[in-house]
């Protein structure tokens, strides 16, 4: 259990570091590879030989009329003299023999290549090149059309026109990612020559009519219907099974229902003999090992090449019938509950074909597999081995070092232990991705080892890499991802550390050395991170000294917190260049910065997150901090800043978190906080010398969630308009965390917000549950007057601390409306009157302090209030009853005490107590334990949450790999 908690925290940390959502979102071109038409751009010849048939030219022009061509890609399509030959138009192919138009290529990947050629490079990702206003019915004049690709043209929810069924010669139809809506026209069933049909990822309403058109397409070889809702098609498998020529089937993310089919009808004489590619991933399909899908798949033992069943609910392993898959190259089973031993699965895969050598990809992330890693050398073609996040134990067999084809190994998040040595890699010259993170493996290489591989990604977080800094990294000149955080390294950061990076082609770089004991200085370098992609550097929680080197300001994400760094000036205000910095995230908190903060902030126009807290910075807050147009989080707390808050800060209109607590700031609380910063959610001025009253303008802060003005010299009344704080007037929160994102031209940065404040008497740091924390802390000031009644509208409040002021008046009897309250401190004021009974209706109230006031009467009895210690009530001379020593005289009752519990409690004791403790427990779990705590207790939550994290994580991997492949292809 403890391990689960730690794992959870690590995962949270891992993902919270940063999630990069690359703008290049998904690229459907990767899924099609059928006709494989290369793009040719023929120069328009001067010798005008018009092959094109006039009626077809008119049809094409009518079709163009229905499109919006923002990038002018169809400029060759026209009526002008020199454009007459439509066979020369972009995307149009004619038959050499008949001159009829036979192919129309207007899909994304074709247009993207055309655009890249025009622009000589690809400046940015364009999602839609063409918009489809309407599809001209004249298209059917193209009677000889065999190939039609309109993928990723934005048809904006319109329906696929019925006349598509009249293009009776079509062999290839690609309408994927085209934002079609409505229903799929049954007329598609008339395209009986169709061999390739791709309708992936449209917005079709529930596809119920599959049976009325699909069985007619008897020539169909490729069928792609992923991301269509097939939940109302219980006979989908039967229908698919009637397609005699089918080889490729993709029904990913279709909400497929469990198929209604008898195994006898599966062996249909008409069904395909050579199904090769099957993708049924992401359907949450419940499979048992006897499920008809397995029975059906086992018919294709010989032909199956690619099988993806990931993200379903396969429970209890893989049936023996899988044993004959001798030609299988790719098997994806990630995110299922296979359970059982990995060696058992390997045996099944190998048993019928002991010389199993076709398998190249085996993906088993998060499948609850246990046991040790067996000898896998029989999979002699294996390139990609993914066993991430299972329950594997024992050592890694050295035989893995002989699997010379291996390119990617993911073994992280397992209970593996033992030593990993050079022999584990002896023949792995093709290895590019290595993940052994979050295991108990210890890496032991001789100091002069030269690895046979050049890695792209290295994930060794939380395994034993140290105590010495891994010298073999000096030889790795291609890596883009390096994570050796929390890897027991206790050494000096080598001077060569940045030099491998300068050998690389530009691209995004991710470096994480955090949570070690790395000492020494950060060597400066002439290296600059790429200006067109995200780069992240995390060196936090080490013992690095020295000034912060200036080249690091070319990264996008930089976390240097919790070191001993000193000296910001050359980093912030480089003499040589005044270039705009790409830094979006900068954390320098908890270092030894002892200087005046340089006034060079104007070049940090991309900065969204800045944390300089817990240093010894002094002097005034520089005025140029008001020129951080992107800033969302600004933390300057726990330094020695003096003077007033500069009014230039009221330009920071995006600011959501502003923490200047624990400084020596003074002056009035600025009115502009409530006027210029409309997005403030967290405002902390704690422990400074601010004086004057709380300006009414602050009531405009509708998003405010945490307001902490405690320990200042603030006087006057608490404004009545506090009930304008609408966020505090809402119960709960849509999310546990505060998840901030920042979009820049090169990508998106996301991070979890965190904040520290005094909670139930202790300073605590909140991140994973910050979204739930809603509080007002005004303690230790000189506030006077009554607590405004309006405060009871703030029903979302979780903590209210007004202690140590000069407040008077009574506690409103309606206080019980604050149902979310977990902590209430009104101590050390001059509040009088009785304690309202309604306070007991707040089940979650775990911390209460009413001491040292002028409260009177009897403390109400018969409720959980009695679980409080007497210190919560002491110092109120007129108060009596349990838990105080002072007993009440018989006639004294609480002012509004009602015997509402009394008898009932005794009669229904069991029931009430259960419910009562249940709600207490819930309050406890949510309030104290947050995500991690509850995940430990509730297995299904944990599963979902892990899945989400894994998904983010895996998806990142996939993106990184895809982009890389693309780069390799492009370059
Ligand atoms: C049609 O003509 C082009 C150019 O002359 C040629 O490259 C291509 O191979 C021909 N196609 C067929 C099917 O004959
Ligand atoms: C196919 O076309 C014929 C006429 O061309 C029409 O009568 C028939 O209804 C169509 N069938 C489907 C399934 O659309
Ligand atoms: C692993 O299996 C291969 C092939 O069966 C065999 O040659 C080799 O000796 C095995 N290695 C170990 C360490 O058992």
């Amino acid at each position: 259990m403890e391990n689960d908690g730690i794992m959870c925290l690590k995962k949270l940390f891992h993902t919270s570091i940063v999630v990069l959502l690359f703008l290049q979102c998904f690229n459907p071109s990767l899924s099609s590879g059928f006709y494989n038409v290369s793009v040719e751009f023929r120069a328009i010849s001067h010798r005008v030989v018009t092959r094109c048939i006039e009626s077809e030219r008119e049809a094409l022009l009518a079709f163009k009329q229905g499109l919006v061509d923002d990038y002018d890609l169809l400029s060759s399509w026209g009526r002008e003299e020199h454009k007459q030959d439509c066979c020369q138009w972009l995307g149009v192919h004619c038959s050499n023999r008949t001159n009829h138009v036979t192919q129309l290529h207007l899909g994304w990947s074709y247009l993207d290549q055309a655009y890249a050629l025009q622009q000589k490079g690809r400046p940015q990702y364009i999602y839609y090149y063409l918009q489809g206003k309407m599809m001209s019915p004249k298209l059917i004049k193209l009677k000889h059309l065999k190939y039609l690709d309109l993928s990723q043209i934005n048809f904006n929810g319109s329906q696929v026109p019925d006349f598509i069924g009249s293009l009776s010669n079509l062999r290839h139809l690609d309408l994927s990612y085209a934002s079609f809506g409505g229903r799929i026209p049954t007329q598609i069933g008339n395209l009986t020559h169709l061999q390739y049909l791709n309708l992936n990822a449209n917005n079709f309403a529930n596809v119920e009519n599959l049976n009325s058109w699909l069985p007619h397409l008897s020539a169909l070889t490729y069928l792609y219907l992923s991301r269509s809702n097939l939940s109302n098609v219980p006979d989908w498998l039967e229908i698919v099974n009637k397609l005699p020529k089918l080889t490729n089937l993709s029904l990913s993310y279709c909400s497929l229902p469990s198929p209604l089919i008898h195994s006898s009808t599966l062996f249909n004489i008409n069904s395909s003999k050579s199904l090769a590619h099957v993708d049924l991933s992401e359907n949450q399909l419940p499979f048992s090992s006897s499920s008809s899908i397995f029975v059906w798949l086992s018919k294709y033992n010989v032909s199956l090449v690619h099988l993806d069943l990931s993200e379903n609910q396969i429970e209890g392993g893989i049936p023996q019938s899988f044993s004959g898959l001798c030609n299988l190259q790719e098997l994806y089973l990630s995110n299922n509950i296979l359970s059982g031993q990995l060696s058992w699965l390997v045996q099944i895969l190998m048993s019928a074909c002991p010389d199993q050598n076709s398998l190249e990809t085996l993906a088993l992330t998060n499948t609850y597999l246990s046991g040790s890693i067996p000898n896998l050398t029989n999979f002699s073609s294996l390139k990609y081995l993914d066993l991430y996040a299972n329950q594997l134990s024992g050592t890694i067999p050295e035989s893995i070092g002989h699997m010379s084809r291996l390119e990617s190994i993911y073994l992280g998040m397992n209970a593996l232990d033992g030593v990993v040595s050079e022999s584990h890699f002896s023949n792995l010259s093709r290895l590019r991705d290595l993940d052994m993170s979050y295991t108990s493996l210890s890496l032991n290489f001789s100091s002069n080892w030269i690895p046979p591989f050049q890695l792209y990604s290295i994930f060794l977080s939380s395994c034993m890499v140290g105590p010495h800094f891994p010298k073999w990294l000096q030889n790795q000149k291609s890596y883009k991802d390096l994570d050796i955080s929390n890897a027991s390294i206790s050494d000096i950061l080598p001077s060569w550390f940045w030099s491998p990076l300068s050998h690389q082609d530009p691209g995004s770089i991710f470096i994480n050395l955090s949570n070690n004991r790395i000492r020494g200085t950060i060597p400066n370098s002439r290296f600059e991170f790429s200006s067109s992609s995200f780069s992240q550097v995390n060196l936090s929680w080490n013992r690095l000294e020295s000034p912060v080197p200036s080249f690091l300001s070319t990264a996008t994400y930089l976390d240097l917190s919790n070191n001993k760094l000193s000296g910001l000036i050359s980093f912030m205000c480089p003499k040589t260049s005044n270039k705009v910095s790409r830094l979006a995230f900068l954390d320098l908190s908890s270092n030894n910065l002892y200087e005046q903060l340089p006034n060079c902030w104007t070049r940090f126009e991309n900065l969204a997150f800045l944390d300089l807290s817990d240093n010894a910075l002094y002097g005034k807050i520089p005025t140029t901090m008001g020129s951080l147009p992107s800033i969302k989080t600004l933390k300057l707390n726990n330094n020695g800043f003096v003077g007033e808050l500069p009014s230039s800060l009221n330009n920071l209109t995006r600011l959501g978190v502003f923490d200047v607590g624990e400084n020596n700031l003074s002056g009035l609380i600025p009115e502009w906080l409530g006027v210029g910063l409309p997005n403030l959610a967290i405002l902390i001025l704690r422990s400074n010398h601010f004086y004057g009253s709380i300006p009414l303008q602050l009531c405009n802060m509708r998003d405010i969630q945490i307001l902490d003005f405690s320990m200042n010299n603030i006087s006057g009344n608490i404004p009545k308009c506090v009930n304008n704080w609408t966020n505090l007037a809402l119960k709960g929160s849509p999310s546990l965390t505060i998840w901030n994102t920042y979009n820049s031209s090169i990508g998106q940065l996301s991070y979890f917000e965190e904040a520290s404040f005094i909670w139930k008497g202790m300073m605590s740091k909140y991140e994973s549950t910050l979204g739930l924390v809603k509080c007002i802390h005004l303690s230790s000031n000189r506030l006077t007057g009554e607590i405004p009644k309006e405060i009871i509208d703030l029903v979302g409040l979780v903590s209210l601390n007004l202690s140590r002021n000069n407040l008077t008046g009574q506690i409103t009897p309606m206080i019980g409306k604050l149902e979310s309250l977990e902590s209430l401190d009104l101590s050390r004021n001059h509040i009088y009157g009785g304690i309202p009974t309604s306070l007991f209706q707040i089940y979650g109230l775990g911390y209460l302090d009413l001491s040292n006031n002028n409260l009177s009467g009897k403390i109400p009895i018969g409720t959980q209030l009695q679980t409080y210690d007497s210190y919560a009530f002491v110092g109120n001379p007129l108060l009596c009853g349990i838990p105080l020593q002072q007993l009440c005289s018989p006639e004294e009752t609480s002012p509004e005490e009602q015997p509402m519990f009394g008898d009932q409690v005794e009669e229904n004791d069991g029931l009430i107590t259960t419910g009562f403790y249940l709600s207490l427990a819930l309050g406890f779990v949510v309030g104290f334990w947050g995500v991690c705590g509850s995940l430990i207790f509730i297995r299904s939550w944990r599963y979902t949450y892990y899945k989400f994290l894994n998904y983010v994580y895996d998806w990142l991997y996939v993106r990184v790999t895809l982009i890389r492949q693309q780069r390799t292809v492009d370059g």
Side-chain angles (χ1 to χ4, degrees), residues 337-518:
I337 309 179
L338 299 182
S339 47
Q341 307 263 319
L342 172 62
S343 53
W344 171 238
L345 178 69
V346 166
Q347 235 168 43
I348 291 180
L349 288 174
M350 236 153 32
S351 58
C353 17
D355 302 320
Q356 169 74 257
N357 53 16
S358 57
L359 200 67
E360 296 178 2
T361 296
L362 182 58
L364 298 168
T365 296
N366 193 25
T367 45
Y368 295 85
L369 286 168
S370 55
S372 55
I373 301 179
N375 182 352
L376 297 169
T377 42
N378 275 359
F379 294 110
S380 55
S381 311
L382 204 63
K383 294 178 177 170
Y384 182 99
L385 175 63
D386 183 357
L387 300 173
Y388 190 80
N390 281 290
Q391 290 150 12
L392 299 170
S393 54
T395 58
I396 300 178
E398 283 189 8
S399 57
I400 203 167
H402 300 299
M403 300 175 66
S404 58
R405 306 259 168 149
L406 274 176
E407 293 172 10
S408 304
I409 305 179
Y410 301 100
L411 302 177
M413 289 279 268
N414 277 295
L416 297 167
D417 56 18
V419 175
V420 176
S421 66
E422 288 154 39
S423 52
H424 285 96
F425 299 101
S426 52
N427 289 336
L428 303 189
S429 59
R430 302 186 192 188
L431 197 65
R432 313 194 102 193
D433 308 297
L434 177 65
D435 186 341
M436 298 186 170
S437 52
Y438 309 107
T439 61
S440 305
L441 292 167
S442 97
L443 275 61
N444 191 358
F445 305 121
S446 69
S447 65
N448 52 4
W449 180 51
I450 299 197
F453 47 69
Q454 286 291 333
L455 294 177
Y456 258 47
S457 64
I458 306 169
F459 291 101
L460 300 173
S461 173
S462 305
C463 59
M464 181 85 173
V465 175
H468 297 299
F469 200 90
K471 192 150 185 285
W472 56 273
L473 284 178
Q474 189 171 6
N475 172 270
Q476 296 299 301
K477 314 236 187 263
S478 317
Y479 65 80
K480 297 291 182 191
D481 303 301
L482 171 65
D483 187 350
I484 44 173
S485 59
N486 190 27
S488 312
I489 300 171
S490 175
D491 201 350
I492 286 175
L493 187 64
S495 55
W496 50 260
F497 181 70
W498 306 106
S499 52
L501 295 175
S502 46
H503 295 280
Q504 303 187 353
D505 13 308
S508 61
I509 287 176
F510 167 87
I511 288 175
N512 189 352
L513 308 184
S514 65
N515 288 283
N516 283 294
R517 271 167 293 164
I518 301 174

Side-chain angles (χ1 to χ4, degrees), residues 165-166 186-190 212-213 216:
S166 308
T186 51
Q187 283 79 356
I188 282 196
N190 265 2
S212 63
W213 55 270
H216 301 284

